Amino acid sequence: IKAGGKNPQEAVDEYTREAAFTFLNRFVALRLLEARGLLQECVSKGDQSSGFKEFCGLAAGLASLPDDGYRLYLECLFDELSVEVKVLFDRRDPASLLWPRRGALTELLDVLGQTDLAGIWSKYETIGWVYQYFNSGEERRQMRDESSAPRNSRELAVRNQFFTPRYVVQFLTDNTLGRTWYEMMQGETKLGQLDYLVRRPN
């Protein structure tokens, strides 16, 4: 990062932010996989999750580690998942060199396990909302106050990164690709049941 022209403090800040964003994405992804039944419970109950308890049963020596081996368990999950989703879970990525402090990790796990949020983990939109709100409104406002145009690629992303809800995407696809197919088939298609297709009178 310094080689790219940033001073040492800017480089540290950028790296720290990237590491935090990477870990947040990984833990949210684990929670989404749990909710879909694609992964055994691993983060929704923290170190009380059934997957971790099973892991401990296979390796009794974990109890001697500072966190009873929970970090090792999560790193094993990352390694296993990186086979399919390398870009997110690859522990060789430089953003993986830091690990969240115990307090930060506990706070994140508490949020992921909140019962009043249980319904959001099966929704496709959840990851988009996480991406959008990782960047605070205050930071966005400050960037706009300091310059009318983005000054670098990060500012461009932060200032213009807004999540598109599923219904908007569905409306757009129903009335572009969906409409083209519907008209090609003269209405004789299951796509005629599209929720957001605007039908012409003729």
Side-chain angles (χ1 to χ4, degrees):
I1 296 170
K2 282 170 62 177
K6 299 287 175 77
N7 68 45
Q9 186 57 56
E10 289 172 333
V12 168
D13 292 345
E14 185 174 325
Y15 173 78
T16 304
R17 183 179 181 81
E18 184 63 29
F21 190 60
T22 298
F23 273 97
L24 177 63
N25 287 333
R26 286 177 180 173
F27 280 87
V28 167
L30 292 176
R31 187 65 184 91
L32 292 167
L33 290 168
E34 269 187 30
R36 288 167 173 75
L38 298 171
L39 193 63
Q40 189 173 2
E41 182 183 84
C42 56
V43 292
S44 58
K45 293 183 182 169
D47 58 10
Q48 297 303 305
S49 295
S50 62
F52 179 56
K53 289 183 176 184
E54 186 174 310
F55 185 74
C56 289
L58 297 171
L62 294 173
S64 63
L65 296 174
D67 63 351
D68 296 326
Y70 189 59
R71 174 179 174 170
L72 178 63
Y73 165 68
L74 293 171
E75 288 176 334
C76 288
L77 283 178
F78 294 165
D79 291 344
E80 186 176 334
L81 291 167
S82 72
V83 173
E84 298 292 330
V85 193
K86 189 166 201 149
V87 73
L88 177 59
F89 291 102
D90 185 4
R91 288 196 304 128
R92 292 171 299 172
D93 183 289
S96 298
L97 294 173
L98 294 182
W99 185 263
R101 287 189 208 123
R102 185 67 183 168
L105 180 60
T106 300
E107 188 176 339
L108 175 59
L109 294 172
D110 288 346
V111 171
L112 296 177
Q114 287 178 7
T115 54
D116 57 335
L117 296 179
I120 70 167
W121 301 113
S122 60
K123 307 279 188 218
Y124 293 106
E125 291 92 345
T126 299
I127 195 74
W129 293 119
V130 170
Y131 285 151
Q132 180 172 333
Y133 288 103
F134 181 80
N135 301 308
S136 70
E138 296 80 28
E139 182 180 25
R140 199 172 284 121
R141 277 190 294 280
Q142 180 183 350
M143 287 177 179
R144 288 184 179 136
D145 289 344
E146 292 174 357
S147 173
S148 59
R151 295 169 290 188
N152 54 50
S153 60
R154 180 169 181 281
E155 276 197 19
L156 179 66
V158 171
R159 290 168 68 146
N160 297 297
Q161 186 176 45
F162 296 100
F163 171 63
T164 307
R166 184 178 178 84
Y167 76 90
V168 174
V169 173
Q170 191 173 344
F171 178 86
L172 294 171
T173 54
D174 284 4
N175 288 286
T176 53
L177 296 173
R179 174 174 305 289
T180 300
W181 180 255
Y182 181 79
E183 291 176 354
M184 284 173 52
M185 301 303 293
Q186 298 177 338
E188 298 298 320
T189 173
K190 290 183 180 179
L191 288 185
Q193 302 168 9
L194 294 174
D195 297 330
Y196 296 100
L197 180 64
V198 177
R199 288 171 180 78
R200 297 176 179 140
N202 58 356

